[in-house]
Amino acid sequence: MIVYLLSVALLLLILEPLFTYYWDSKKLRRFPNASFLSGISDIGYILKRYRGFRSKEIHESHQEHPVVRVGPNTLSFSTPDAIRAIYGHNTPCLKGGTYVTAAGTHPSLLDVVDKQEHARKRRILSHAFATRNLEQWEFKVTDKVQKLVAQFDLLCNDKEEAIIDFRMWSNLFTIEAIADIALSHHLGCLTQGSDLVTITTKDGEKAVNYIDCLHSGRRATSMLIWSTKWFTSWRFALKALPGFFQTQWRKGQGFDEMVRYLVQQRLRRHENGEQLEDFVGCLFQDKHGDARNLEIAEIEAEVATLLDAGSDTTAISLTHAMYFLMKAPATLSRLREELQVALDGSQEVAKYATVKNLPYLYACINESLRLLPPVAFGLNRMTPPEGLTIDGTWIPGNTLVGVPAYTAHRSPLFSNSEQYQPERWLEDDIKETQGTFIPFSTGARGCIGRNISYIEQTVLLATLVQRYDLSLVDPEGNLDHEEAFNLWPGPLPLKIRRRDNC
Ligand code: HEM
């Protein structure tokens, strides 16, 4: 029996991929491999994930080849034409691969595959995210900036110098902001200076580390999910075995429990007749006040996505924006000059109406989004069954394709593309790069929260740069990165002091 099982395993694990590779029914062998094993197995891609900064490694392959094979059925493209074909509004491609594997019984707006189902979900939330309604969330952002400033002032003890980890504080800021914007919930994380959230489960009261739990679950999943065929079996086995994966996934469950608790709390307030302005309100009822009667599991899936995608990415972006400013004193001075004129020293917390018109502030944010996009890897899309021509090359149906933002943002359309030059965003010819700048992806599946993220980033950065002198604790040091799904920067220790006139 054991010999039989081992033979079957050998056949499945080694011979079948080798046979498929040499049979090559899709003619994918014509594309160069990103790593030694790419044509036979997803292990090469998984190993890149283990090494830390996967998109940078893929980019190195792209410097020689516009198309590379990153897995047996996965191709990575690099040109603006490929972006249009794969993600553009008229693309026949669908989300595939990892999205299908990761989604539970109730996919959210982010991981749902079916176009009609996606359109239905997007319609429900689009009212809350519409540009004309966005400024109604500003007071929630302002409240969080005030809380952060209060903490920094306390740490600075009036005019003394303090050391803070900006990575951590910016993430506390974004989790507080999204919990309020999505659910009208005040987590209290900024006030207590930690990501600890107390929740009630059926087993009683429990403390959950929001960021740590979120990252643990995503860390474990992002290590294995690229092997989509085997992921479910791997997860089943590794969850049962004591060790790294079991610990990470167990911690990750804390995030799901927190989501369940927060949804229950919000539902109770809704049933008690409280009229709250937030995203989840749009899931309970439409704009005429008629109940939508969505299943609770669907609401939980949407809330989990909002609390994840709506906090992690913006915190990453803020950390990178601050890091680059600290590394470029001339840029920081120019930004300060712009802020001095616009804010006139009279706005303790910058008003969005003021900062939304500041070109250099936007240039600084966009330039760091270009160099270090929070979602840097090639987002999987499945070609339609009949196949698709991408960048002049016909690609067979049911092949996974993508363009990493990390590579797109280093297109020759950006001169000196490795250099941090916010000024490039003020030039007229920047318009030519429009289709190549994809930190929020593009087309029908582009980010719905992009404008909210800009509100959070512009208001917070303008306020902090105006109020504090900031500098790196280690001016020679660089940021470490771990690329799970998002590109997580490591700690960013800063020296911080209140400025004389603030
Ligand atoms: C700098 C900040 C942000 C970045 C870089 C970013 C990036 C992205 C990217 C690349 C996608 C496409 C994902 C994919 O195709 O798998 C996406 C989708 C999405 N984002 Fe964001 N995002 C940011 C902020 C936000 C915020 C603040 C929210 C919520 C308040 C949000 C909610 C979503 C949702 C719900 C989707 C799915 C949209 C759909 O498929 O219709 N994001 N985002």
Side-chain angles (χ1 to χ4, degrees):
M1 180 67 175
I2 289 183
V3 174
Y4 172 75
L5 284 176
L6 283 175
S7 314
V8 172
L10 189 74
L11 208 70
L12 284 175
L13 284 171
I14 300 176
L15 296 184
E16 191 266 342
L18 272 177
F19 176 78
T20 313
Y21 177 72
Y22 284 108
W23 184 253
D24 198 23
S25 60
K26 289 189 171 180
K27 304 275 177 286
L28 297 186
R29 260 173 43 212
R30 67 195 140 135
F31 299 108
N33 286 337
S35 63
F36 171 60
L37 286 170
S38 297
I40 298 168
S41 150
D42 289 298
I43 285 177
Y45 200 66
I46 291 174
L47 290 177
K48 286 183 197 302
R49 156 71 184 97
Y50 275 82
R51 285 198 289 269
F53 200 155
R54 181 191 49 218
S55 297
K56 202 175 186 170
E57 286 195 40
I58 301 287
H59 179 60
E60 276 152 25
S61 308
H62 272 308
Q63 293 199 301
E64 286 175 44
H65 311 287
V67 189
V68 289
R69 188 177 190 179
V70 295
N73 190 37
T74 314
L75 298 175
S76 178
F77 289 78
S78 57
T79 63
D81 273 356
I83 295 174
R84 258 190 304 279
I86 297 172
Y87 305 107
H89 272 288
N90 298 321
T91 183
C93 294
L94 291 178
K95 286 199 170 185
T98 52
Y99 298 96
V100 182
T101 316
T105 50
H106 290 74
S108 74
L109 178 66
L110 189 114
D111 40 35
V112 66
V113 172
D114 182 77
K115 277 195 179 177
Q116 272 82 39
E117 190 55 3
H118 172 258
R120 176 188 71 84
K121 283 172 172 287
R122 186 117 181 175
R123 258 194 314 273
I124 292 178
L125 279 171
S126 59
H127 176 69
F129 281 93
T131 321
R132 64 182 179 283
N133 294 331
L134 281 179
E135 289 175 31
Q136 71 175 316
W137 310 120
E138 187 184 350
F139 78 98
K140 300 195 178 200
V141 175
T142 303
D143 175 59
K144 307 304 166 279
V145 177
Q146 271 163 346
K147 291 197 161 83
L148 185 64
V149 163
Q151 287 289 21
F152 283 0
D153 282 0
L154 211 62
L155 287 166
C156 288
N157 192 14
D158 197 17
K159 298 276 167 169
E160 283 171 26
E161 188 173 86
I163 291 183
I164 54 147
D165 175 9
F166 187 72
R167 166 74 174 113
M168 180 196 81
W169 282 104
S170 62
N171 212 158
L172 296 183
F173 164 74
T174 59
I175 61 176
E176 282 269 8
I178 196 63
D180 196 358
I181 294 171
L183 295 143
S184 304
H185 195 98
H186 295 269
L187 296 175
C189 291
L190 280 168
T191 317
Q192 79 205 8
S194 95
D195 66 343
L196 215 57
V197 178
T198 305
I199 64 169
T200 311
T201 67
K202 59 180 173 15
D203 303 321
E205 215 169 70
K206 179 173 173 179
V208 168
N209 287 93
Y210 183 142
I211 302 167
D212 192 28
C213 288
L214 173 62
H215 282 188
S216 297
R218 300 297 180 262
R219 177 172 291 116
T221 301
S222 69
M223 285 183 163
L224 295 172
I225 190 121
W226 315 104
S227 164
T228 45
K229 209 159 53 171
W230 296 102
F231 177 72
T232 314
S233 325
W234 277 115
R235 186 172 51 185
F236 180 75
L238 291 169
K239 265 188 174 173
L241 287 175
F244 171 81
F245 283 97
Q246 190 186 70
T247 316
Q248 296 289 307
W249 271 317
R250 279 211 180 137
K251 258 201 222 170
Q253 280 168 12
F255 181 77
D256 302 335
E257 286 173 331
M258 182 189 77
V259 167
R260 229 165 287 140
Y261 166 78
L262 292 177
V263 170
Q264 282 306 327
Q265 292 289 305
R266 179 63 182 84
L267 190 58
R268 204 157 298 147
R269 292 174 78 180
H270 175 69
E271 285 164 354
N272 288 342
E274 270 190 77
Q275 288 300 320
L276 299 169
E277 291 294 328
D278 55 32
F279 289 167
V280 173
C282 306
L283 300 175
F284 291 151
Q285 57 187 38
D286 66 17
K287 60 179 179 223
H288 308 294
D290 295 330
R292 289 194 192 275
N293 297 320
L294 301 183
E295 280 183 51
I296 199 75
E298 180 174 2
I299 296 174
E300 284 171 0
E302 301 304 349
V303 170
T305 288
L306 291 172
L307 295 187
D308 173 355
S311 67
D312 208 34
T313 44
T314 303
I316 295 170
S317 184
L318 280 164
T319 304
H320 289 155
M322 186 59 92
Y323 169 72
F324 283 117
L325 284 174
M326 296 299 98
K327 285 278 188 186
T331 304
L332 181 61
S333 303
R334 181 163 174 189
L335 176 60
R336 229 173 228 143
E337 279 165 29
E338 186 182 70
L339 293 173
Q340 223 143 24
V341 175
L343 303 181
D344 192 20
S346 60
Q347 297 178 21
E348 189 187 79
V349 173
K351 290 192 173 58
Y352 182 60
T354 311
V355 294
K356 75 177 177 187
N357 298 316
L358 299 183
Y360 201 65
L361 176 60
Y362 273 85
C364 293
I365 293 171
N366 285 341
E367 183 63 349
S368 66
L369 280 171
R370 184 185 72 78
L371 275 171
L372 289 174
V375 188
F377 72 104
L379 298 161
N380 283 180
R381 297 294 185 266
M382 188 72 89
T383 56
E386 66 278 15
L388 177 69
T389 299
I390 302 176
D391 207 7
T393 308
W394 187 79
I395 305 297
N398 303 319
T399 306
L400 287 172
V401 290
V403 181
Y406 188 85
T407 293
H409 293 177
R410 281 156 176 78
S411 141
L413 289 172
F414 295 102
S415 55
N416 298 322
S417 66
E418 285 296 344
Q419 304 296 315
Y420 173 71
Q421 292 175 350
E423 287 69 21
R424 75 174 79 240
W425 294 94
L426 309 176
E427 307 285 332
D428 283 343
D429 61 3
I430 195 67
K431 289 189 194 92
E432 289 165 28
T433 66
Q434 220 161 32
T436 319
F437 182 58
I438 49 165
F440 300 95
S441 193
T442 183
R445 303 305 301 256
C447 180
I448 198 172
R450 164 198 173 112
N451 294 324
I452 288 189
S453 175
Y454 275 114
I455 295 185
E456 291 180 25
Q457 294 189 66
T458 49
V459 171
L460 183 70
L461 284 173
T463 303
L464 296 183
V465 168
Q466 176 193 233
R467 191 174 181 84
Y468 303 101
D469 279 323
L470 303 143
S471 60
L472 290 170
V473 169
D474 174 10
E476 305 308 319
N478 290 317
L479 266 183
D480 290 329
H481 282 100
E482 176 187 356
E483 188 178 9
F485 295 109
N486 295 338
L487 180 60
W488 294 326
L492 180 60
L494 294 185
K495 290 190 228 166
I496 174 168
R497 186 200 294 269
R498 282 274 294 276
R499 296 179 70 215
D500 281 343
N501 48 354
C502 299

